[in-house]
Amino acid sequence: MATTTTSTVTTIAAQAYHVLKINGYSNTLKAGRHHPLSSCPFSAGGHTWHVSYYPHGCRDSNKDCISIFLVLEDIVTEEDVMAKATFSLLDRYENPVPSYTYHTELRNFSTSSGRARGFENFIRRDELERSEYLNDDYFAVAAHVIIPKEKPSVVVPPSNMHLHFGDLLVSKEGTDVKFLVGGEMFAAHRLVLAARSPVFKAELFGPTKKGTIDAIQIDNMEARVFKALLEFIYTDIWSEIGHGKDNVAMAQQLLAAADRYGLQRLKFVYEDKLCNHIDTCSVSTMLVLAEKHHCCKLKEACSTFLSSMSPPIVEDLNSSIFGSELEKTVSSSENHESQINRTDIRIQPWQNADV
């Protein structure tokens, strides 16, 4: 028997997105059992809320877990408050971790039925402590709160357009153009490429369009980079940056490739991510990359990093950037070529949460 997946359409009256930053995780473990720490209050839907964090769990049965709750601070007397909350553990770059994203249903928050909704077993402490999500005694949890205007009544399938286009790319059905990149052949659809990239549109349909040649050769790009580029064009999904120099180099190449083909969204994504991977070994390459591809945010991040270093090291780095290393760095870069406001919330150990 086939199963179907459905989602509920909610007319949103208000929403808020807050990041609870636990800076000093080990210190929070000194709190007593069942003792919650709370975030600063925030507003959504005309009400005041906060997030409660229990480092030792909220019950004896989950004392080895971390508990997270959304708490309504207001005293509600006339009617219940409907709200939906999503809690996501964030990685070191503050991207939600899919396997640690939890959704509460649309629930009533009231004085009589309770003013807290959340998860008693959000994550085991030992699992968090072994994971990459705890870095330098710091981790973060995002809380996304939605206040609906009315009770949801329409059930529709979730959007899966990206899956259909991804299948189209994989199956190669109806492809009408081929690319030779780094010794590998890639088949694609002219209309899809033209719809997503102004550069591909000019190359495939403009006055200087390429004719019916066997394959269009793309130089100065690795096959894996072009493959990732195609996957983004078809699905609007990008690869995350892992650890290690090779992963950072891949991100640098994807930024350059995105700029080359006018994919501004992808370019901004990797510019933002690379800002978190600047060190003494990479800052010269990053700065040249920022200059060449007009990445103001990355350039600013490099400048901030350099200004935080001692003068002798900065002088050495400047020499490598603007001296004989410049040509080498440029060559390396070529070859590997309405939002919701985010508010940081600091834990206040002296503020207790009434859950």
Side-chain angles (χ1 to χ4, degrees):
M1 180 178 178
T3 59
T4 59
T5 301
T6 60
S7 64
T8 302
V9 176
T10 303
T11 303
I12 297 174
Q15 57 183 322
Y17 186 83
H18 291 268
V19 178
L20 176 67
K21 296 185 175 182
I22 314 298
N23 194 1
Y25 163 74
S26 58
N27 287 332
T28 67
L29 298 180
K30 299 176 183 178
R33 178 71 58 80
H34 315 317
H35 177 74
L37 304 176
S38 68
S39 71
C40 295
F42 60 90
S43 298
H47 295 280
T48 303
W49 311 79
H50 71 256
V51 176
S52 284
Y53 156 62
Y54 288 78
H56 295 286
C58 61
R59 302 177 187 274
D60 289 335
S61 58
N62 51 56
K63 61 184 179 180
D64 296 324
C65 296
I66 287 172
S67 301
I68 295 289
F69 291 92
L70 173 67
V71 182
L72 174 65
E73 291 195 352
D74 302 335
I75 304 298
V76 181
T77 56
E78 296 181 358
E79 60 182 10
D80 294 343
V81 178
M82 296 290 289
K84 178 180 181 180
T86 300
F87 294 98
S88 300
L89 186 65
L90 305 182
D91 64 17
R92 63 183 300 180
Y93 315 116
E94 296 199 356
N95 298 309
V97 181
S99 57
Y100 291 104
T101 297
Y102 300 85
H103 305 267
T104 64
E105 299 177 355
L106 286 168
R107 297 290 300 273
N108 292 335
F109 289 74
S110 67
T111 304
S112 59
S113 63
R115 301 200 305 272
R117 296 287 184 270
F119 300 93
E120 297 181 359
N121 304 312
F122 184 71
I123 185 174
R124 288 184 58 87
R125 277 197 312 279
D126 56 358
E127 185 176 352
L128 173 67
E129 290 167 3
R130 290 195 307 267
S131 74
E132 59 182 320
Y133 314 122
L134 181 65
N135 288 281
D136 298 325
D137 209 29
Y138 164 90
F139 76 99
V141 177
H144 185 191
V145 182
I146 294 177
I147 312 297
K149 283 185 178 179
E150 57 189 25
K151 186 177 180 179
S153 59
V154 180
V155 178
V156 298
S159 174
N160 59 356
M161 182 184 296
H162 66 289
L163 297 178
H164 290 297
F165 276 87
D167 290 342
L168 191 65
L169 176 64
V170 173
S171 69
K172 302 180 182 179
E173 183 177 356
T175 56
D176 55 2
V177 64
K178 293 181 179 179
F179 297 90
L180 181 61
V181 188
E184 294 187 28
M185 194 72 73
F186 296 89
H189 304 79
R190 290 173 181 264
L191 284 175
V192 176
L193 299 181
R196 296 279 282 161
S197 164
V199 177
F200 275 127
K201 184 176 182 179
E203 289 183 352
L204 299 173
F205 294 98
T208 59
K209 66 180 181 181
K210 306 241 194 302
T212 56
I213 58 178
D214 291 338
I216 299 173
Q217 183 169 331
I218 296 180
D219 299 319
N220 300 323
M221 186 179 298
E222 292 186 14
R224 62 172 183 162
V225 175
F226 189 75
K227 181 177 184 291
L229 199 72
L230 282 182
E231 289 174 351
F232 172 79
I233 288 174
Y234 277 76
T235 67
D236 208 41
I237 297 174
W238 55 85
S239 302
E240 294 297 334
I241 299 181
H243 297 288
K245 293 182 179 179
D246 186 62
N247 290 312
V248 174
M250 176 69 170
Q252 293 171 339
Q253 296 171 59
L254 276 168
L255 183 150
D259 187 43
R260 177 175 175 177
Y261 286 100
L263 301 171
Q264 291 300 311
R265 175 172 160 80
L266 186 63
K267 174 185 172 182
F268 291 149
V269 164
Y270 281 107
E271 178 182 5
D272 181 65
K273 292 180 182 298
L274 287 173
C275 288
N276 297 308
H277 288 270
I278 300 171
D279 54 31
T280 54
C281 296
S282 67
V283 64
S284 60
T285 301
M286 295 286 198
L287 192 54
V288 172
L289 191 73
E291 288 281 0
K292 181 174 179 58
H293 298 286
H294 311 288
C295 300
C296 298
K297 184 176 179 181
L298 182 58
K299 182 178 179 180
E300 181 181 346
C302 289
S303 299
T304 301
F305 175 82
L306 289 172
S307 65
S308 68
M309 300 172 64
S310 58
I313 299 178
V314 172
E315 183 178 351
D316 290 342
L317 283 171
N318 285 336
S319 299
S320 70
I321 294 172
F322 299 106
S324 60
E325 292 295 319
L326 180 59
E327 182 178 353
K328 177 181 177 181
T329 306
V330 172
S331 174
S332 174
S333 298
E334 281 290 348
N335 291 332
H336 299 290
E337 280 204 309
S338 71
Q339 294 288 324
I340 304 168
N341 291 329
R342 298 170 66 94
T343 304
D344 293 343
I345 307 174
R346 301 288 180 176
I347 283 293
Q348 299 180 17
W350 59 85
Q351 181 181 357
N352 295 335
D354 182 15
V355 180

